[in-house]
Amino acid sequence: MATMAYGRSSDNLSPIGSGGTNWVVNTGTGDSSYVPANLSDKDPAKPGKLTTTTGSWVRDLGSAKQVDLVALIHHNLDAALSVKIQGHASDSWGAPSLDQAITIPADQEDGFPANPFTDLTGIGSRTFRYWRVVIVGTNSVAISIGEIVLLGTKRTLERNYSWGQVEGDDQPIVEHRTLGRVSHIYQIGAKARTLGGDVLTTDAGASSLLSLHRTTKGRSEAFLAIPDPDVNDAWFVRLVNPTFARRIEFLDTQEIQLQLEEVSRGLVP
């Protein structure tokens, strides 16, 4: 298992607070009930949508900025659909300087999609003012994406989770159990994953996690975490514990309990 990658909430250039203008529909037809600003509001339960099965959105960052990693959170894109992230100096897309595929993985066994990401750190120039997510292929249904994350800085834990970490998959239901012990179960249609365990890290690693805690203001701000970068599935998460605590174990050795809770897509609108 590769070491977890992540970005602080302040590393996410997609929200309008990073400057420029918010996401706009570039091609295809926008759904007026699910506006492009939803793509960067840090609430993937409120998606941005098109009424078409192909199309694109563009984000003007206001000035050229480096993007290390791109992730699509809580989407409805078909597996292996042709999707790209593009970057360019101007809002012109005939021949963008950066033109990189985003691989859409197969849905999980429960029908929920994995959240694809593309790591741009291994390619050439990735500093541009304009960024575009374009669905090149034809999706089976009108396009919906809960959140587009543009990480200006990709980070990794100095030391990964220790053995014994616990990963959870929570799918809430409504259950009515009769006196005869017959259960009537109704699926809610939502889920959220959890990940928790101890990180035995260095002093520098502990400082990095404290910085993460402070930039997210405890549980207030969601951020991107990729538990295993070898698996094409990014999580948009919050810290479980609003209090940061660490145990000093030895010289340059500190133990921190790192618990993450995925931000749910809620009920699919």
Side-chain angles (χ1 to χ4, degrees), residues 87 91 117 136 247:
D91 192 8
F117 69 91
V136 180
R247 178 183 288 112

Side-chain angles (χ1 to χ4, degrees), residues 55-118:
S56 60
W57 291 276
V58 168
R59 172 77 162 90
D60 174 6
L61 295 178
S63 61
K65 294 178 182 177
Q66 176 178 292
V67 173
D68 280 358
L69 187 144
V70 179
L72 306 181
I73 304 300
H74 297 337
H75 62 87
N76 69 348
L77 303 174
D78 298 336
L81 185 70
S82 178
V83 178
K84 292 186 175 184
I85 178 67
Q86 298 176 332
H88 202 52
S90 63
D91 192 8
S92 176
W93 303 101
S97 300
L98 184 147
D99 186 31
Q100 192 76 11
I102 301 175
T103 301
I104 309 300
D107 287 349
Q108 297 163 350
E109 294 87 345
D110 51 19
F112 286 94
N115 301 318
F117 69 91
T118 293

Side-chain angles (χ1 to χ4, degrees), residues 128-211:
F128 301 101
R129 173 175 174 174
Y130 294 91
W131 291 85
R132 182 168 85 144
V133 171
V134 53
I135 292 80
V136 180
T138 302
N139 202 37
S140 58
V141 294
I143 297 161
S144 173
I145 298 177
E147 199 81 8
I148 298 174
V149 177
L150 303 176
L151 276 191
T153 303
K154 186 193 85 169
R155 306 174 190 272
T156 57
L157 296 178
E158 276 78 358
R159 292 180 183 169
N160 208 13
Y161 275 100
S162 302
W163 289 109
Q165 69 186 63
V166 177
E167 185 173 329
D169 191 300
D170 180 25
Q171 302 200 29
I173 60 171
V174 174
E175 181 175 4
H176 173 67
R177 196 176 188 192
T178 71
L179 294 176
R181 298 299 186 265
V182 176
S183 289
H184 300 281
I185 294 177
Y186 304 90
Q187 292 180 319
I188 299 293
K191 85 167 182 177
R193 296 173 290 185
T194 57
L195 179 65
D198 294 327
V199 177
L200 195 64
T201 190
T202 62
D203 293 349
S207 294
S208 294
L209 289 175
L210 177 58
S211 294

Side-chain angles (χ1 to χ4, degrees), residues 36 41 45 54 58 68 72 85 89 117 122 126 167 205 212 219 223 249 261 265:
D41 65 354
T54 62
V58 168
D68 280 358
L72 306 181
I85 178 67
F117 69 91
R126 56 184 188 279
E167 185 173 329
L212 171 65
R219 277 183 51 78
F223 62 98
E249 295 284 1
E261 177 183 52
R265 65 188 293 163

